[in-house]
Amino acid sequence: MNVSSAHATRPYALLSIAAAVGTIAIKFGAYVLTGSVGLLSDAAESGINLVTALVTFWALTVAARAPDQTHPFGHSKAEYFSSGLEGALILLAAVGIAVTAVGRLFDPQPLEQLGLGMVLSLVATALNGGVAAVLTAAGKRLRSLALQADAQHLLTDVWTSAGVVVGLVLVQLTGWLILDPLIALAVAVNIVWAALRLLRESADGLMDSALSDEDTRSIERILAGYAEGGLQFHALRTRQAASRRFISLHVLVPGAWTVQRGHDLCEEIERAVEAALPQSYVTTHLEPLEDPLSWADAELDRTPRSGDSPKEKRR
């Protein structure tokens, strides 16, 4: 993500914060009216939404900073810390919900004003659903992992709220009070699943996972066009840092080419890849086709092997 697009994400984070405050107020009001632990668990998840929205805003603010001496590749990985912290906080919320629900299993409590409580919950659900749709579109357009993670969390909250409302309808129809804490436990399980998914995505990003298969195929199609002229490519390595892509490859050309000709070709390839994959940083390494050492570093593992020549080790 370049600095201008990173700045563009922050108004959406503020929208998420405002939505979280609104849904907390509505859902907690529904809990106070009904005494439903299911609605309390739903309100607790919205409380986590507020915390994570604040963390998302912080992460996007950091990611918007331009590269500097200590972070020459930018600050975009701050978004991974946002989604990782979000996952950890969601896990804590799930534990709290489960503890409250288990207590109600052994001591069911009567519920009051369920109709009004369910209406309020549905209003909050509609608010979350609308904001989630806006954040999803913005996250894809601006390639922001933090916004997409926040949108996914809100969508999880939407399904959670819908499940709680369905459960409360069943309580009202059957009079089985035990359904209320059982619903809360189901909500806790759903939250745990969402948290584990976010933690896995954050770990993958911090470990420099490769670009998607779709992005890799786009690069390979561009290189195939140049390969038709007898040129060769290898050692294609990619990694993702939130919204930014980093791509490196070796370009093998006839050794008789001038440095200027090889340089111009590399510049052309870099521009073609960056045009196909915006927010990419492409690095090329020029090598002569005829030199055997040009083929010695084609694999991902570039550690010098025993028996390599001193010249090869210096590479």
Side-chain angles (χ1 to χ4, degrees):
M1 179 186 303
N2 55 39
V3 174
S4 60
S5 60
H7 280 291
T9 59
R10 289 188 290 177
Y12 295 101
L14 290 175
L15 173 64
S16 180
I17 292 171
V21 171
T23 54
I24 288 172
I26 295 171
K27 290 181 179 181
F28 190 75
Y31 159 68
V32 171
L33 286 172
T34 63
S36 165
V37 71
L39 288 175
L40 176 61
S41 67
D42 203 13
E45 186 174 2
S46 291
I48 296 299
N49 287 349
L50 175 59
V51 175
T52 54
L54 291 170
V55 173
T56 297
F57 182 75
W58 165 82
L60 292 173
T61 300
V62 173
R65 295 176 184 170
D68 53 34
Q69 291 293 330
T70 55
H71 300 88
F73 290 99
H75 302 78
S76 57
K77 277 195 174 184
E79 294 193 33
Y80 291 123
F81 292 101
S82 169
S83 58
L85 180 58
E86 182 172 350
L89 290 173
I90 293 172
L91 279 177
L92 289 176
V95 172
I97 293 170
V99 170
T100 304
V102 169
R104 283 289 183 93
L105 278 175
F106 296 100
D107 184 23
Q109 298 293 322
L111 306 181
E112 301 176 357
Q113 301 188 64
L114 280 181
L116 180 56
M118 287 187 289
V119 168
L120 290 175
S121 182
L122 288 173
V123 170
T125 301
L127 176 60
N128 272 340
V131 173
V134 172
L135 293 184
T136 298
K140 291 180 179 178
R141 177 170 54 85
L142 299 172
R143 290 186 51 78
S144 170
L145 176 68
L147 285 183
Q148 292 182 55
D150 206 12
Q152 289 175 9
H153 188 192
L154 287 177
L155 286 174
T156 299
D157 197 11
V158 167
W159 289 112
T160 296
S161 299
V164 169
V165 170
V166 170
L168 292 178
V169 169
L170 293 176
V171 170
Q172 195 170 34
L173 292 176
T174 64
W176 297 348
L177 296 178
I178 198 172
L179 289 176
D180 184 40
L182 289 176
I183 293 166
L185 286 174
V187 169
V189 171
N190 185 49
I191 293 174
V192 167
W193 177 253
L196 292 177
R197 185 177 65 250
L198 285 175
L199 289 172
R200 184 180 66 250
E201 291 174 356
S202 298
D204 285 344
L206 291 173
M207 293 177 67
D208 287 336
S209 59
L211 298 185
S212 67
D213 291 341
E214 180 181 356
D215 286 351
T216 301
R217 284 193 294 269
S218 295
I219 299 171
E220 290 173 344
R221 281 194 296 268
I222 292 171
L223 299 181
Y226 290 94
E228 292 175 358
L231 305 179
Q232 303 251 2
F233 305 91
H234 65 217
L236 174 62
R237 299 174 177 88
T238 66
R239 67 182 178 93
Q240 185 90 21
S243 57
R244 297 194 66 188
R245 304 177 178 96
F246 293 88
I247 303 158
S248 67
L249 67 146
H250 293 189
V251 181
L252 288 80
V253 303
W257 277 27
T258 64
V259 173
Q260 184 65 56
R261 185 177 179 183
H263 171 74
D264 291 344
L265 172 68
C266 289
E267 287 287 328
E268 182 180 334
I269 292 171
E270 291 173 11
R271 286 194 298 267
V273 173
E274 290 168 356
L277 300 175
Q279 301 176 35
S280 294
Y281 183 87
V282 184
T283 303
T284 53
H285 176 61
L286 193 65
E287 296 182 312
L289 271 167
E290 302 84 0
D291 189 345
L293 291 181
S294 298
W295 302 90
D297 54 3
E299 302 300 325
L300 290 176
D301 183 6
R302 302 184 64 184
T303 304
R305 300 174 295 277
S306 60
D308 287 344
S309 67
K311 180 180 178 182
E312 188 170 355
K313 289 182 180 180
R314 286 197 299 271
R315 295 176 63 83

